Amino acid sequence: FPSHDIKWWYIVNEIEVSRLDNGQKIHVFNGSYRTDQSSWCWSYNLTIPAFELSKLDPIAGQPVILKIVVNGYQHLMLLENRTRSRQFASETYTLTGRSVSALLDAPSSPPRAFLQENERTSVQLVQAEIDRSSYPDLSLNWQLIDALGWIVPTESFSYSGSTPIKAIQEIAAAGGGFIYSEADTQAITIKPLYKKTFWDTFTVDDYDRLVPDSLVTSQSTDYELYPDYNGITLTNDRTGKQGQIKRTGTAADVLLPPENNPLFDVVSMGAFGKAKLAKAGMIETHTLTMPISTEVGECATGEILAFNAE
């Protein structure tokens, strides 16, 4: 091939780890992080030499938050545990933690019982759970349905023995959404499970990232066949509301099992039903492996990718 037809990528991986509170740098041998749509937060592990451990002591009893920068992309890690390893006269520690949103989970925020005493919006209920965590730097970015979400009547929301994050998960799920912990800030975002469904139309503006074929080092595709679901019946026994959500242009003759939820109203039913119906027919799972680069950036759950212009 002529040389001008070949596109080469030269990427030098760079990592820097430091404390968020005082900026002190931490020497790291290696590490990894991951997330997925059902995890609500990022999980981290870092391996450090033993002599770096003294840099990780809490200051004034506050949680230790590490800033991890990989190829220019920042992650904030709440340090939760450390494990010592000795081998051939070499002593290291493995640091483990999660996103700062883990402050909404045990042990930082203990479980409690709760009964909603006044009418609230779904956004207000989520914000109240964040407020009870006693960590004022945590913030909410709500992207589900609209800015207010939906109305939740008095005594519709209750639980026993739940942490704030588990309660928030329950609220988000009722509107067809999920929790995403922002990697670079102390915030959680409530997103729809699917920004677009397979029957929606797409424009270039709908794609969050364009992934070129030349940047992908490996790829695979798996297939799974589901019934062609086109309808679902949803109920709220507490309010007596009931609705059937169906895919437009269909007879709603291939039904998913009905579901009941005290957080359902006509607005959340529509969003929940659409998310359920989005997983039907032939489902393709695409696996792409690529470096973290400025060309594409670091992908986040819930985004829409165009791979090789498709």
Side-chain angles (χ1 to χ4, degrees), residues 4-214:
H4 62 270
D5 289 337
I6 301 175
K7 193 167 190 177
W8 296 92
W9 299 95
Y10 184 73
I11 296 173
V12 178
N13 294 307
E14 296 180 347
I15 179 172
E16 182 177 283
V17 179
S18 60
R19 289 185 63 135
L20 184 64
D21 51 9
N22 61 14
Q24 188 170 36
K25 292 185 179 180
I26 312 296
H27 179 64
V28 172
F29 287 142
N30 56 62
S32 65
Y33 51 79
R34 68 173 304 278
T35 192
D36 58 57
Q37 209 170 44
S38 61
S39 295
W40 64 260
C41 69
W42 292 82
S43 299
Y44 302 88
N45 69 75
L46 300 170
T47 302
I48 64 169
F51 61 78
E52 292 288 87
L53 194 64
S54 60
K55 298 179 181 179
L56 299 171
D57 293 335
I59 298 175
Q62 293 301 303
V64 176
I65 299 173
L66 300 179
K67 182 171 73 172
I68 304 168
V69 181
V70 178
N71 292 355
Y73 295 95
Q74 176 177 293
H75 283 249
L76 297 182
M77 165 188 163
L78 174 69
L79 178 58
E80 296 185 284
N81 200 1
R82 60 197 77 187
T83 305
R84 187 176 72 167
S85 175
R86 296 188 67 183
Q87 186 176 13
F88 301 114
S90 173
E91 185 177 6
T92 62
Y93 279 82
T94 298
L95 311 179
T96 56
R98 294 175 289 174
S99 302
V100 182
S101 59
L103 293 169
L104 298 172
D105 197 16
S108 300
S109 295
R112 70 161 181 174
F114 173 75
L115 173 63
Q116 171 202 351
E117 297 180 348
N118 300 293
E119 181 180 273
R120 292 287 185 266
T121 67
S122 55
V123 179
Q124 288 174 321
L125 288 175
V126 170
Q127 186 62 59
E129 292 296 331
I130 294 175
D131 292 343
R132 83 169 171 96
S133 70
S134 301
Y135 294 98
D137 291 334
L138 293 169
S139 60
L140 172 64
N141 179 21
W142 181 275
Q143 297 179 2
L144 184 62
I145 300 175
D146 60 27
L148 297 178
W150 65 94
I151 300 296
V152 182
T154 302
E155 297 188 355
S156 292
F157 185 51
S158 63
Y159 55 79
S160 177
S162 286
T163 59
I165 199 68
K166 298 303 180 186
I168 294 171
Q169 273 188 305
E170 186 176 340
I171 297 167
F178 72 101
I179 303 170
Y180 173 69
S181 293
E182 297 294 339
D184 58 344
T185 65
Q186 301 185 53
I188 60 170
T189 299
I190 310 300
K191 298 182 176 185
L193 278 172
Y194 304 97
K195 291 175 69 174
K196 291 278 189 176
T197 57
F198 64 84
W199 61 84
D200 290 323
T201 57
F202 284 78
T203 67
V204 173
D205 292 338
D206 291 320
Y207 294 104
D208 296 296
R209 300 186 192 274
L210 305 178
V211 181
D213 179 62
S214 58

